[in-house]
Amino acid sequence: MTLPVGDADNPGMSLPARCRPAIVLVLAAALAGPAATAPRQDGRKVSRQAAAAPSYAGHPEARRFAAEAAERRGLPQDWLAQQLAQARRVAAVQKLVMPPPAGTAKNWAAYRARFIEPRRIEAGVAFWQANEAALLSAEQRHGVPAEVVVGVIGVETFYGRITGNYRVVDALATLAFDFPAGRSDRSAFFRGELEEFFVLCAREGLDPQAVK
């Protein structure tokens, strides 16, 4: 999955487009490894709040998306429609995508100390070693240095320890079909990200309802 990238202090920061394919390739290889060959048993659980939220079953834009994505990418239209029917609109995601209130200037020293510290460095080395082949392949294919990919994954997920509180399919469907008013419309971008997410899941054998 490729989402706009930003840490808690910089939620609006976007990842350069040329970096995204390399990071997706490395994450896909990592997800396909022995430690993640199947979703966790609780991966499909939906919170009561999410279960009460409107689903995208029968949503006209979701139906159109399924038909068009199926034709473009060679995915089964029925499968796409089934996955979207289980996706739910998440109001909190709509709020999180809005521009943050103006704040004070960030302190670089404090930011650096947060991310350049022994535990994260140790985890980064282990991640690099475990995914060396995929990192090399991504660098050769996309021209993005391995250290850039490893650094971004470290900031965004602490090398898999922090994976988010929302299902990817819910978050992307919400922003693809119900992008909030009050800022420039980016629904087209998130529809593209939703399509890439389904392509990734189909290729890697992942359950779209279990990925966070």
Side-chain angles (χ1 to χ4, degrees), residues 10-211:
N10 297 279
M13 182 175 64
S14 294
L15 182 66
R18 76 186 187 98
C19 294
R20 292 175 185 154
I23 292 177
V24 169
L25 184 88
V26 174
L27 286 175
L31 286 170
T37 53
R40 294 182 304 178
Q41 292 183 349
D42 62 347
R44 295 182 64 92
K45 291 182 179 178
V46 180
S47 68
R48 291 180 182 178
Q49 183 177 5
S55 78
Y56 286 97
H59 192 287
E61 291 299 320
R63 288 202 306 266
R64 185 180 299 113
F65 169 88
E68 294 175 351
E71 183 176 355
R72 276 193 301 267
R73 309 307 288 269
L75 296 173
Q77 184 174 340
D78 290 345
W79 178 77
L80 287 170
Q82 181 184 29
Q83 299 305 323
L84 288 170
Q86 298 176 71
R88 298 184 178 277
R89 189 181 70 207
V90 182
V93 169
Q94 293 174 306
K95 293 179 181 179
L96 287 171
V97 80
M98 298 301 288
T104 58
K106 301 298 187 295
N107 183 309
W108 165 243
Y111 185 88
R112 185 182 188 280
R114 176 181 173 186
F115 292 105
I116 310 299
E117 46 88 23
R119 290 191 309 149
R120 202 174 296 254
I121 292 172
E122 181 180 352
V125 170
F127 179 88
W128 197 330
Q129 291 174 341
N131 297 280
E132 185 174 6
L135 288 161
L136 178 60
S137 174
E139 184 169 347
Q140 292 174 341
R141 181 176 178 182
H142 301 289
V144 181
E147 57 267 27
V148 173
V149 177
V150 172
V152 170
I153 293 175
V155 169
E156 298 305 320
T157 74
F158 203 148
Y159 303 104
R161 298 183 188 182
I162 303 171
T163 56
N165 298 318
Y166 306 104
R167 297 193 308 166
V168 172
V169 69
D170 293 337
L172 288 179
T174 297
L175 298 177
F177 307 124
D178 285 302
F179 196 86
R183 64 165 297 172
S184 58
D185 185 7
R186 300 187 67 200
S187 58
F189 168 80
F190 286 104
R191 290 185 191 198
E193 299 295 273
L194 181 60
E195 183 174 313
E196 294 298 334
F197 172 65
F198 284 134
V199 169
L200 174 66
C201 289
R203 185 177 68 237
E204 301 299 331
L206 303 174
D207 180 358
Q209 305 300 321
V211 181

